[in-house]
Amino acid sequence: MSTVLITGANRGLGLEFTAQYTNDGWQVIASCRSPDKATDLKKLVAENPTIDIVQMDVSDHASVDTCVAALGGRSIDVLINNAGIASDDFPRQKLGGFDFENWENILRTNTLGPMKVSEALLPNIKAGTQKKIAVVSSTVGSLTDMNTYPVYPYATSKAALNKGMRMMAEQLHDDGISVLCLCPGHAKTDMGMKAEGASVEVADAVQGMRNEIANLTMATSGSFRRYNSESITW
Ligand SMILES: NC(=O)c1ccc[n+]([C@@H]2O[C@H](COP(=O)([O-])OP(=O)(O)OC[C@H]3O[C@@H](n4cnc5c(N)ncnc54)[C@H](OP(=O)(O)O)[C@@H]3O)[C@@H](O)[C@H]2O)c1
């Protein structure tokens, strides 16, 4: 049985990843920052007791280290760095009125979070069979796409994440670990509905990203793909 660890698994895309992989017979380690409040995830676990819930706040490095220590040497085939945040008050995030504290928080969660989680779980991924790291990034992080959600903190957090993951793909090549940056499209989650125009069903976004992860090879490691199989320019 293959094992996947998903961050931010309590709602949105993370919860749907958890449900779909479980339905396909995977062992899912569903991480979330507040298991006590993870009502929907606990409901899913009640129906599927094979799912393991673990506590992990990706912006808190001590929390990541504690979670990884508790996993011991457990092997992980696929790591999905999904947890992320956007600016709730994005009209304020304009040149001339930047909220740098909010920006730092977004960078800490969206950029440093996946870098820290991936680094901390490397021994577990090396012990797995598939050896894959995926991140749920965004087209918004593309340097050539200047129109999609042009909000400085979120866009820069995903652009920096892409660069970090691209570098990790190069560095981990000799270890046989493949790395993939993904965009779910504008999906109908809590985050997606905060901006106008969310059109992609959550189930379709996740099924598409799962297909991309399944098709990932060492030859395609370090690529940036949309849920509908399009390649995204960096
Ligand atoms: N929806 C879209 O249209 C869209 C488009 C492009 C990219 N994305 C990316 O897709 C990913 C998932 O987003 P979503 O649409 O599913 O958003 P969502 O519905 O708002 O869910 C975000 C998830 O991330 C978790 N999270 C946030 N900060 C965390 C932290 N510090 N530690 C652990 N978990 C944390 C949340 O947990 P809590 O419940 O504890 O807050 C929640 O489970 C994000 O990386 C987002 O940037 C989404």
Side-chain angles (χ1 to χ4, degrees):
M1 184 189 285
S2 299
T3 299
V4 57
L5 188 145
I6 300 155
T7 66
N10 57 302
R11 61 188 170 94
L13 299 172
L15 182 66
E16 182 65 20
F17 271 122
T18 302
Q20 290 195 16
Y21 276 113
T22 300
N23 285 344
D24 276 1
W26 285 56
Q27 169 67 64
V28 179
I29 305 172
S31 79
C32 59
R33 57 179 159 178
S34 307
D36 291 349
K37 297 182 196 157
T39 317
D40 293 338
L41 177 59
K42 284 200 273 195
K43 206 171 142 199
L44 187 65
V45 172
E47 294 157 8
N48 302 277
T50 58
I51 301 169
D52 288 335
I53 300 183
V54 296
Q55 195 276 334
M56 188 200 286
D57 180 337
V58 304
S59 69
D60 176 351
H61 294 188
S63 159
V64 176
D65 288 335
T66 302
C67 178
V68 173
L71 289 173
R74 194 168 170 186
S75 62
I76 293 171
D77 292 288
V78 176
L79 164 64
I80 301 179
N81 288 289
N82 163 77
I85 54 174
S87 308
D88 284 335
D89 54 352
F90 66 84
R92 279 206 296 137
Q93 288 291 14
K94 293 211 167 109
L95 187 59
F98 287 144
D99 177 344
F100 287 102
E101 203 176 319
N102 168 263
W103 195 333
E104 278 179 13
N105 189 35
I106 289 176
L107 288 171
R108 186 164 182 83
T109 303
N110 292 2
T111 312
L112 303 185
M115 300 304 292
K116 169 66 184 174
V117 173
S118 301
E119 181 186 58
L121 284 171
L122 268 185
N124 306 72
I125 294 162
K126 283 181 183 169
T129 304
Q130 298 196 30
K131 298 183 175 56
K132 295 180 178 181
I133 300 174
V135 295
V136 185
S137 181
S138 172
T139 307
V140 170
S142 164
L143 297 190
T144 52
D145 184 328
M146 295 302 290
N147 299 315
T148 317
Y149 194 69
V151 182
Y152 284 79
Y154 185 75
T156 55
S157 74
K158 296 297 190 182
L161 173 63
N162 288 348
K163 180 69 178 181
M165 286 297 153
R166 189 79 182 79
M167 292 175 75
M168 218 184 260
E170 296 287 320
Q171 201 177 342
L172 293 178
H173 197 272
D174 288 348
D175 293 310
I177 298 174
S178 53
V179 179
L180 179 64
C181 294
L182 290 162
C183 177
H186 194 171
K188 296 177 183 175
T189 61
D190 292 344
M191 183 192 291
M193 297 302 269
K194 282 180 186 157
E196 276 179 29
S199 59
V200 181
E201 298 300 332
V202 173
D204 295 338
V206 168
Q207 182 59 62
M209 290 192 287
R210 289 180 60 227
N211 292 343
E212 295 303 318
I213 293 168
N215 292 334
L216 175 65
T217 65
M218 289 311 297
T220 58
S221 180
S223 52
F224 188 14
R225 312 269 303 170
R226 195 168 282 120
Y227 78 103
N228 59 359
S229 288
E230 290 172 3
S231 178
I232 308 171
T233 53
W234 295 108

